[in-house]
Amino acid sequence: MPRRAPAHAETIVIEKQPEVPFSRLSFNKPLTWRAGKAINVAELLKRLTELSKELREMDQEEIDRDSLTRVSKELAGHHLLAHKDKGVRAWTACCLVDILRLCAPDAPFTAAQLKDIFTLFITTILPSLSDPSNAYNTQHILVLQSLAQVKSIILLTDIPSSEALILHLFRSFFDISSGSSKSATGEQIAKNVEFNMSTILVTMVDEAASLPAEVVDVIVAQFFRVDPGALGVVGSKEGKSKKNGITPAIDEKQSTLRLKELPPAYNMAKTICNSCPEKMARYIGQYFNDVILDASSSATEKNHHHRRASNDREDSDDGEGPSGPTEEDLRELRKAHRLLRELWRACPAVLQNVIPQLEAELPAENVQLRLLATETLGDMVSGIGAAGPPPPPTMDPSAYPPTELSSYSDAVPSYGVLSIPSSPQSFPQTHPAVYASFLSRQNDKSALIRSAWTTSIGRILMTSAGGVGLSQSEEQTLIKGLAVKLLDSDERVRIAAVKVVSSFGFRDIIFELGSNGGVTEPGSILTNLVERIRDRKHGVRVEAMKAVGKIWGVAAGEIAAGNETVISLLGAIPSRIFDTVYVNDLELNVLIEHVLFESLLPLGYPSLKSKGLKTLPGESQSKGKGKESAGDKERENADADKIRTERLLLLIKDLDPKAKKAFFSLSGRQAACSQVAESFLKKCEEFNGGVMDENETTIKKQLHNLIDWFAKQLPDSARATADLLKFAKMNDRRNYQLVRFCMAPESDYKTVHKAIKELTKRIEAAPGSPAGMLETITPFLYRISLLIYNKSHVPAIVEYSRRSESPLESTAHEVLKEISSVKPQIFKAHVKELCGLLEEQAPTATKANDPGTVDTLKACAGFAAKFPKDMPTERKFLQALVSFALYGSPPEAAKHAVTILMAAAERKEMYATDLIKKCITGFKFGTGNFLARLATLGQLMFLAPKEADEENDQIIDIATKEILLKVRTTKTASQKQWLDDDEVDDECKAKVWALKILVNRLRSSQDVKESRELAEPVIKLLNTLITKEGELSKKQDTPPTHKSRLRLVAAQLLLKLCKTKVYDELLAPDAFNRLACVAQDSIYQVRLKFVTKLKKYLGHTWLPVRFYTIVFLMAYEPQEEFRDETVTWIKARAKSFTQQKGTVMESVFSRLLNLLAHHPDFSPSADDLADFSKYILFYLRPVATEENLSLIFYVAQRVKQAKDAISPDKSDNLYCLSDLAQAIIQRYEDINGWSMQAWPGKLKLPVQLFSPLASHAISQEIANKSYLPTELEERLDGLVKAKPKTKKRKSDLHPETPAPPRKKAKHYTAAKPKSLPVRKASATKTPKKPKRSDTVIPSSERRRSGRSTTGKVKTYAELDDEDDMDMWDEDGDEAPGREIDEPEDDDDGGEEEEVDATKKGVGSGGKQTNGDSLGGSMEDDDDDDDDDISDPPDSD
């Protein structure tokens, strides 16, 4: 009834609408029948179709529901619901869903009828949707649409015991959407079907009061459809994966079969979770509760039984926490945690109850639970789902064109949307407390957890938190955490951190990891990464080497382009790699070679489009035929060689001096290795697979010696020996030829590369080839192959050397110079080109040559010295050399031009005579290219002594009266004591060349008697320069910069002369002692250059062993890096002698004590002796071992059994030092926990330094007397225990195993130095400046006590030759092996006993060393240059 309006309101009249009469169902045909009188199927289908059509047209609000009673009852009858005809059942279902629609919300059926009806729907009608080609598919879709739109599906929840039907419904729909049941035609189900199925399931979840646990299992199982490793379902311990809608995962190798988009069943489950987040959160929370509870219960039971069984058994993983759940429970837990990752990606809202449970696992006692929680949270933050992380970005060092930041993309080939990290929201912001708890795992006590955490933060950084992004503070926190993990105490964590960094793309490395500094910034990720290449653990070193090498190889393009950002961050990587050569570790050396030829200079670089390689001799020529013309291939090869050469020069260009020295050493040893390899191949051929006709014993012995030589240079020598012997037994002549291709100077780079590839394949495919044989053969090939100094690279190097504007010009010159000294043979094909270049650059009196030409001249000189017949002899070329000799600039150009001329010219005598006359005629200081003339005269004195003798007097007058004895440069107010080479004035240069003229005259002498006569004044002059600190003028007016340079050159020239025995004998012991003090010169550059030259000569066994004593005077070297480098060198030499079973370094101790006894700073006071103890410790630390300590102690005792032969009145100094050494050695033994036995042998002292005592009584008196001050005894313990101050590597800060406890060292502060400043580093405060061009120690801190220059020079004690030889031999003065020892190879059929490789060198005592013979050789003079590079320690 309408409401009455208020009195004051306007009356509103509402017209009454006429009532619409309800429509009634007009269908009145029967649908059921009595038994035996069934309606035929056709008629029944007709009636059902008619009924369905009428019902479908009716409206819910206009129907008379009473008229539906009869048909409802008939439709729900058994006859129709269970009819055998599919069409009848389909049409019946259509009618039933319409009845439900029209009667909603009250269905006209009983509970039992509803159960039968929904059984028909769920078990028959809806599953048929999987076949779109079904004849009644339209009816099936109508049923589905009605159930979805009317939501009549919720009636299912009112049916008692309907759990099975609900489970069947969910399983059927997920099966249908997954396409596991398809039509014969392969037709896909329609999208609207998927939509309606999703709607039905969402309705069920939303409306149902509760869902069966099995249904939740089915829903969550759909998220595993993106997990390639899922074979079952979480919680389904019976593995009923198919029932839950999961099919087995595809093969990992079948990447093309991987899903490229999200599966429909996955999307359906995702829709359910996102549509009903609150309910699904409850269900999923309970679901994970059950899984975790099951695992925990199992673990509790297991631990209870475990404790009862044995209380002594250790816990799992580092002995922490309970033993944990069973393996089966762990599998379930892993699946559950993988599901969490995917749920976070798909529907994070449903995890609101689970994430707190996950956080609770982080501090769990059991390691496996903590590990799962840490990994899972990390992947959730990264947006990584069950499909796992994406593949790492492409980082190919051999790619060409090289990688550029502007075009580089970190996107990688993806398997589709499944592997793309995606996080719908920021985890750190949504769950800050959980994220903070996750970050705290970086300090977990278990290395396993810290490793997982490290991997996780790497993924977070790489994915930018799943694409959501990180704040700057969050990013820096993670970066710093990763940097710290690179220094972790456990190697597993360090390896994980290295792998994480190596998985970043180039752009991320530069802009993300590089944000806190490059490889030179302390504490940065990149610095800590590079530090790991020197790690104590080999596994860490391997990963770090690979990582840094790959990073630099990819960055090489940007470095070449001059990108300052990339250069500052990564430019120092090669230097850090090659610095590890000085560690002298065999495993590291092999690693360096792998990184060099696989990342820094990859064998396949540049990988151009055409992969055609030059066909090797002996191969079928048809293999090399293609569509390309020969000209195209030639141009391509030339381009590839030029590109590769640029990469080589780029690599060398940015190396620091120390690393460059190491690189050249590694490259330079190819010559020695290839010689041994050639001998090895010859012996393999003679060995003939073990079948020999004669000399079997000799051949086997020689073969084993050669194999041992190579094997000792590899980490696993036993395995290397077996592999090389197997290689010899294979007796594959093709393999031998391929090895020869690798090391032949005629082989171009393509030939070498292809030979390596073919040999590698042949060894892999060879029957009976041992597993891992390539681990031996690959380093063998890298060391003998011409991969760096290859003839293919020479044209490009020459081209770069001619480009004055190129930043690689100086490097190209440097490489040319190195090739000329190491492998001049490769110039054969290009010598004419080099000589043509010299003709173009030839100077005249008015036109100077290009300064860079000096390196080209040196390259040609090195080639000419070894292959003079291959040099051009055209008049134009020889005239160009004459021009260089007269007008070359710098003067080194004239020197090298003379070397070439004397080697190549047929009428060299004529050229020599002509040049000498032109040089001395009208010579005047400062005019007419006088420096070039001096250089030419010096070289001719060495190479053409006969012609030079004719004008000898005039040449000597020029060198002495005109140059050396005159001072033309006045002293200035400048305090500089040293000038770099490019700053030295002409007068100083002239004096250097004048000294070389005098010395070269001696080196060219052939007669021993004449040599002695000529040498005395020259050696006296050189000694005077050293004694008077470079002063020759009576007026004492030589500039300080000249004096420092001249005393350096004098010292170096004395070393050069002492390479020859006759001149070494003329260097008296006291003169030797003064020479040794140059190692403690006040100028750093003098010390550096002198000791560097000394180490070079000693390394090549060109000097007698007494010169080893000089390097031990560096105990007080103030430049820490220089001192540490020398210690490393000493260790390497000592190791080499030990391997050769020699006692050189032990026997030299007596010489060292004698040298210290005559040191100008020595005094017997307690303070001075405390200072001198550092010299003895400086000797012991790199030399002494438990095996040789007794011999060193014996040497120290023997010193006290003789008197000083140089100054007998100073014998007490010797005895004092002997007692000091013995006391220090005994304490050194105790500190190291060694056991020293008495030395059983005998050793004689050098007679030049020691003479016998007068009587046994005197000897006994000296032996019983202690020469040490009493107060010193108390201080020795502290002095010996105190560790030298050396720079610690960061890798040493976290040792893997705890060191034994030691008492705190008592540090002793030495008294203020009285003399040589380099005696104590602490007394000299060297200013920290980038340049050390003028490092001078104040004169106030220096004194010259006991250095009188007027006393008579004492000579060696007179002995006959036999005694002298005996002394040398007993003194251990056999020559140490070369830097790379070459074994002897007897090719004479083995008649004579083979000489062992380690004893090939001959000492200077009685036999000529490997230095100059009288008369010298043409190439020997090349080491005059101050920048000569000595071999690094590892080459021993």
Side-chain angles (χ1 to χ4, degrees), residues 390-542:
T394 302
M395 295 277 283
D396 184 8
S398 63
Y400 189 83
T403 303
E404 296 179 3
L405 277 176
S406 58
S407 58
Y408 179 82
S409 173
D410 287 340
V412 295
S414 173
Y415 295 132
V417 69
L418 305 184
S419 61
I420 299 177
S422 174
S423 179
Q425 53 189 263
S426 172
F427 191 96
Q429 295 178 9
T430 308
H431 303 283
V434 182
Y435 182 68
S437 182
F438 163 74
L439 291 181
S440 69
R441 287 303 95 199
Q442 65 178 309
N443 299 319
D444 196 283
K445 62 183 177 180
S446 169
L448 200 62
I449 308 301
R450 299 199 302 275
S451 299
W453 184 86
T454 303
T455 303
S456 296
I457 64 166
R459 292 176 177 177
I460 294 171
L461 288 168
M462 280 186 285
T463 62
S464 192
V468 177
L470 293 165
S471 67
Q472 188 173 0
S473 61
E474 290 171 343
E475 182 177 287
Q476 288 303 312
T477 298
L478 296 181
I479 289 175
K480 290 177 181 177
L482 182 55
V484 170
K485 292 301 120 185
L486 283 165
L487 305 177
D488 194 89
S489 60
D490 193 281
E491 65 174 302
R492 292 170 291 179
V493 182
R494 300 198 299 276
I495 289 176
V498 171
K499 288 182 176 179
V500 164
V501 177
S502 67
S503 64
F504 277 77
F506 184 38
R507 185 183 297 276
D508 284 341
I509 289 174
I510 299 301
F511 297 114
E512 195 164 5
L513 300 187
S515 61
N516 71 336
V519 296
T520 57
E521 183 70 26
S524 69
I525 281 184
L526 296 176
T527 295
N528 292 350
L529 173 67
V530 172
E531 287 287 342
R532 299 281 58 76
I533 65 179
R534 302 170 74 106
D535 198 278
R536 293 182 177 183
K537 296 295 184 179
H538 182 62
V540 184
R541 295 199 298 260
V542 170

Side-chain angles (χ1 to χ4, degrees), residues 7-251:
H8 62 274
E10 182 180 351
T11 302
I12 300 175
V13 180
I14 301 176
E15 295 184 1
K16 185 177 181 181
Q17 297 293 333
E19 294 184 3
V20 179
F22 288 105
S23 58
R24 294 180 62 81
L25 180 67
S26 59
F27 180 83
N28 56 5
K29 296 178 183 179
L31 295 175
T32 186
W33 56 89
R34 291 193 300 271
K37 294 187 178 181
I39 305 172
N40 68 55
V41 174
E43 179 60 26
L44 189 55
L45 286 173
K46 182 179 178 182
R47 293 178 186 180
L48 288 171
T49 303
E50 181 182 347
L51 175 60
S52 176
K53 183 177 181 182
E54 184 177 356
L55 289 173
R56 193 160 53 251
E57 293 175 353
M58 288 184 172
D59 192 285
Q60 187 183 34
E61 297 179 355
E62 299 175 359
I63 185 67
D64 183 0
R65 299 184 180 182
D66 293 337
S67 63
L68 303 177
T69 304
R70 182 184 63 81
V71 295
S72 298
K73 183 179 180 180
E74 291 178 346
L75 288 170
H78 179 72
H79 289 153
L80 294 179
L81 294 179
H83 199 282
K84 62 181 180 180
D85 186 76
K86 296 179 181 179
V88 172
R89 294 198 301 270
W91 283 109
T92 300
C94 288
C95 295
L96 284 170
V97 294
D98 281 331
I99 293 293
L100 293 175
R101 173 178 61 83
L102 294 172
C103 296
D106 300 318
F109 304 110
T110 64
Q113 288 175 326
L114 281 174
K115 186 171 184 179
D116 291 340
I117 291 170
F118 277 99
T119 299
L120 171 66
F121 290 165
I122 293 171
T123 62
T124 303
I125 303 302
L126 296 180
S128 298
L129 289 167
S130 61
D131 184 8
S133 63
N134 191 294
Y136 299 99
N137 188 57
T138 304
Q139 286 71 36
H140 301 156
I141 292 176
L142 288 175
V143 173
L144 178 69
Q145 287 177 341
S146 179
L147 290 174
Q149 293 171 3
V150 181
K151 297 187 179 182
S152 49
I153 192 67
I154 64 175
L155 294 173
L156 187 59
T157 60
D158 298 332
I159 301 173
S161 303
S162 60
E163 289 82 0
L165 286 176
I166 295 174
L167 179 60
H168 197 286
L169 173 69
F170 276 82
R171 283 178 173 167
S172 297
F173 277 7
F174 285 127
D175 281 342
I176 293 169
S177 63
S178 68
S180 58
S181 301
K182 296 181 181 178
S183 66
T185 61
E187 185 179 352
Q188 300 291 328
I189 61 174
K191 292 296 181 183
N192 65 324
V193 173
E194 293 180 4
F195 173 77
N196 287 322
M197 287 192 299
S198 299
T199 303
I200 289 173
L201 296 186
V202 169
T203 301
M204 286 297 300
V205 173
D206 192 34
E207 298 294 339
S210 64
L211 287 177
E214 293 84 356
V215 172
V216 178
D217 288 353
V218 172
I219 294 173
V220 298
Q222 307 315 308
F223 292 100
F224 278 107
R225 292 186 180 275
V226 297
D227 183 0
L231 297 175
V233 186
V234 180
S236 177
K237 296 193 178 183
E238 297 167 0
K240 298 178 181 179
S241 59
K242 204 160 185 179
K243 290 185 178 181
N244 288 339
I246 289 291
T247 54
I250 61 173
D251 191 338

Side-chain angles (χ1 to χ4, degrees), residues 940-952:
L940 288 172
M941 290 287 277
F942 180 60
L943 300 178
K946 184 178 179 182
E947 288 74 20
D949 279 346
E950 297 177 4
E951 305 290 344
N952 181 68

Side-chain angles (χ1 to χ4, degrees), residues 299-355:
T300 302
E301 293 176 7
K302 180 180 176 183
N303 287 323
H304 178 68
H305 175 73
H306 174 81
R307 285 191 296 270
R308 292 179 59 188
S310 172
N311 291 326
D312 299 328
R313 187 176 174 183
E314 293 184 358
D315 296 325
S316 62
D317 193 83
D318 300 335
E320 22 178 299
S323 54
T326 64
E327 190 61 35
E328 184 179 359
D329 292 327
L330 278 176
R331 282 198 298 270
E332 296 303 317
L333 282 170
R334 292 190 188 102
K335 292 177 184 177
H337 286 77
R338 287 203 306 274
L339 176 62
L340 279 178
R341 296 167 167 86
E342 198 57 44
L343 287 174
W344 175 260
R345 277 167 52 97
C347 40
V350 303
L351 297 180
Q352 55 185 337
N353 298 329
V354 179
I355 289 179

Side-chain angles (χ1 to χ4, degrees), residues 1073-1126:
N1073 293 343
R1074 290 195 295 270
L1075 173 65
C1077 288
V1078 178
Q1080 295 183 319
D1081 195 274
S1082 60
I1083 309 294
Y1084 167 67
Q1085 287 79 4
V1086 174
R1087 303 194 304 273
L1088 173 67
K1089 291 178 179 291
F1090 172 71
V1091 174
T1092 300
K1093 181 75 73 175
L1094 173 66
K1095 289 191 294 185
K1096 175 183 176 179
Y1097 288 175
L1098 287 172
H1100 285 286
T1101 68
W1102 291 341
L1103 290 172
V1105 297
R1106 65 167 171 164
F1107 284 87
Y1108 275 100
T1109 57
I1110 298 177
V1111 295
F1112 295 108
L1113 293 184
M1114 294 185 63
Y1116 283 99
E1117 169 58 46
Q1119 297 296 337
E1120 187 174 320
E1121 183 180 355
F1122 181 34
R1123 184 179 68 246
D1124 293 344
E1125 182 183 332
T1126 302

